[in-house]
Amino acid sequence: MRASAVIAIVLTVATVGWMLSGRIVGERTEPQHSAPGSGETADPSPRVRVERIRARSHPVAIMVRGRTEASRRVDVRAETDGRIVEIGASRGSAVAKGDLLARLAVEERRAKIEEYRARLRLRQIHYEATEALAKKGLSSKEALATAKADIDAAKAAVQQVEVEIDRTRLRAPFDGVLLEGHAEIGGYLKKGDHFGRIIDLDPVLFVGSVTERTVAWLRPGLAAVARSLDGQTVRGTLKYIAPSADLAARTYRIEVEAENPQYRIREGLTADITIEVETRMAHFVTPALLTLADDGAIGLKTVDERNRVRFRPVEIVEDTTEGVWLAGLPDQVRVITVGQDFVVAGQVVEPVDSDDDGPDTGIPATASPVPAGPVDAADPASDDPGTPSAATAAVPRSAS
């Protein structure tokens, strides 16, 4: 055999052997894939950071923007004619019940009462004489009765003038503050003329309007907190809920009554009214943990006892500057705090607790406003890890 043929055969055998050896090595090093549907994979599960949180008692409140009003107000008017000769209280001053606000001139009323008193004394003398004669049988019963009627008429005339004189003194009907409309000395008031207005600021009212949906949650006696724009905060009680809606705005007037000693809170201040409707179990988290489902539902991504990701829809009970209060979650739950945007419902993950002091996982730590609670209990959810639990009925949080 020629040398060239031998060399060709050797090269061919070497080439085929080299090709076969590469195929065998490739088969040995090729990763083994699990059968479809087995639920296992050789790829490592993604790591996510989780935090254990538990529900806490939280008062559910309705917030209303309102204003302050006096609990009582009355217009002080003259009850008789007369010229103002004395002012007992200035505008803006606090007055007590019965305090003198102004005094009108008595003028001819003084003379008139002296005349009526003299007439009364004369009628009394006439009655006594008639009574003495009647005892002796020299006067009839009719004459005695007439004398008695004359005395009663004279007494009524005196009392009428006394009432007129008393009406010349304008007095405060209750404790309060004297407002605008104040007259001056020398001014003349006729019967029914306006002198001033008195308002009662203790207690003070915080009034607002709630919508048709919100009014169903309210009842008299609920605790409330009112905070004015100048920083004053007082606690009060819901005293009044309008039984009829305002026809134009379709809202219902509410009134919260609060103590206001020394009239620290003025009338007409803008205030935020918070009415505590009920107490609910809720979770407090940072808003950054909230995610959206494909259908637009707001929720959290959690990890169950099998380390599977679950999307749980939530109800926002209250939104504060520090975080949000959520309802619709189990009492205890593990929430994904880092990595929730890179996993989907039903995916198996490797959870790392936020308080884990083990080796570095490469996941940055994040602060959470909720302290770590007890270890998450077994979740009684369905076998389908992608099935969200239904959220509870919403409670209105605010009203315009």
Side-chain angles (χ1 to χ4, degrees), residues 196-218:
R197 176 175 298 172
I198 294 181
I199 61 173
D200 185 3
L201 291 175
D202 187 19
V204 67
L205 297 181
F206 292 85
V207 302
S209 299
V210 297
T211 62
E212 299 176 11
R213 295 182 58 186
T214 306
V215 72
W217 293 91
L218 301 178

Side-chain angles (χ1 to χ4, degrees), residues 153-173:
K155 288 182 178 180
V158 171
Q159 291 176 352
Q160 183 177 1
V161 178
E162 289 176 344
V163 170
E164 283 292 317
I165 293 176
D166 185 67
R167 287 175 176 174
T168 61
R169 297 178 176 86
L170 279 65
R171 300 186 181 275

Side-chain angles (χ1 to χ4, degrees), residues 291-293 295 297-302 309-314 345-346 385-389:
T291 59
L292 289 176
D295 58 358
I298 300 177
L300 292 177
K301 287 182 180 179
T302 64
V309 178
R310 293 200 58 184
F311 176 82
R312 294 184 180 274
V314 296
T387 304
S389 58

Side-chain angles (χ1 to χ4, degrees), residues 60 66 321 364:
V60 180
T321 56

Side-chain angles (χ1 to χ4, degrees), residues 248-264:
R250 303 304 302 170
T251 57
Y252 294 82
R253 176 186 172 96
I254 62 169
E255 296 178 359
V256 172
E257 185 178 274
E259 294 183 358
N260 185 28
Q262 289 83 46
Y263 309 139
R264 294 182 298 104

Side-chain angles (χ1 to χ4, degrees), residues 352-370:
V352 179
D353 289 340
S354 296
D355 55 358
D356 188 3
D357 296 331
D360 184 15
T361 61
I363 303 175
T366 57
S368 173
V370 182

Side-chain angles (χ1 to χ4, degrees), residues 293-308:
D294 294 338
D295 58 358
I298 300 177
L300 292 177
K301 287 182 180 179
T302 64
V303 177
D304 61 16
E305 72 280 1
R306 294 178 296 177
N307 292 339
R308 289 184 180 274

Side-chain angles (χ1 to χ4, degrees), residues 73-150:
R73 65 181 60 245
V74 66
D75 290 332
V76 180
R77 299 181 180 276
E79 298 181 79
T80 187
D81 300 346
R83 177 174 50 85
I84 300 175
V85 296
E86 181 182 355
I87 297 294
S90 58
R91 285 182 295 179
S93 62
V95 295
K97 181 179 180 179
D99 284 354
L100 179 68
L101 303 179
R103 184 170 63 87
L104 306 181
V106 176
E107 297 177 338
E108 74 277 2
R109 299 180 184 87
R110 185 69 64 187
K112 185 178 293 186
I113 195 172
E114 293 298 332
E115 176 187 352
Y116 287 164
R117 285 173 178 171
R119 187 179 300 177
L120 175 60
R121 289 193 295 269
L122 178 62
R123 298 290 171 84
Q124 287 176 337
I125 293 173
H126 178 70
Y127 174 76
E128 291 173 356
T130 304
E131 185 180 24
L133 293 175
K135 289 181 179 179
K136 296 179 180 181
L138 300 177
S139 179
S140 65
K141 294 182 179 179
E142 289 80 3
L144 183 62
T146 300
K148 181 64 169 63
D150 290 341

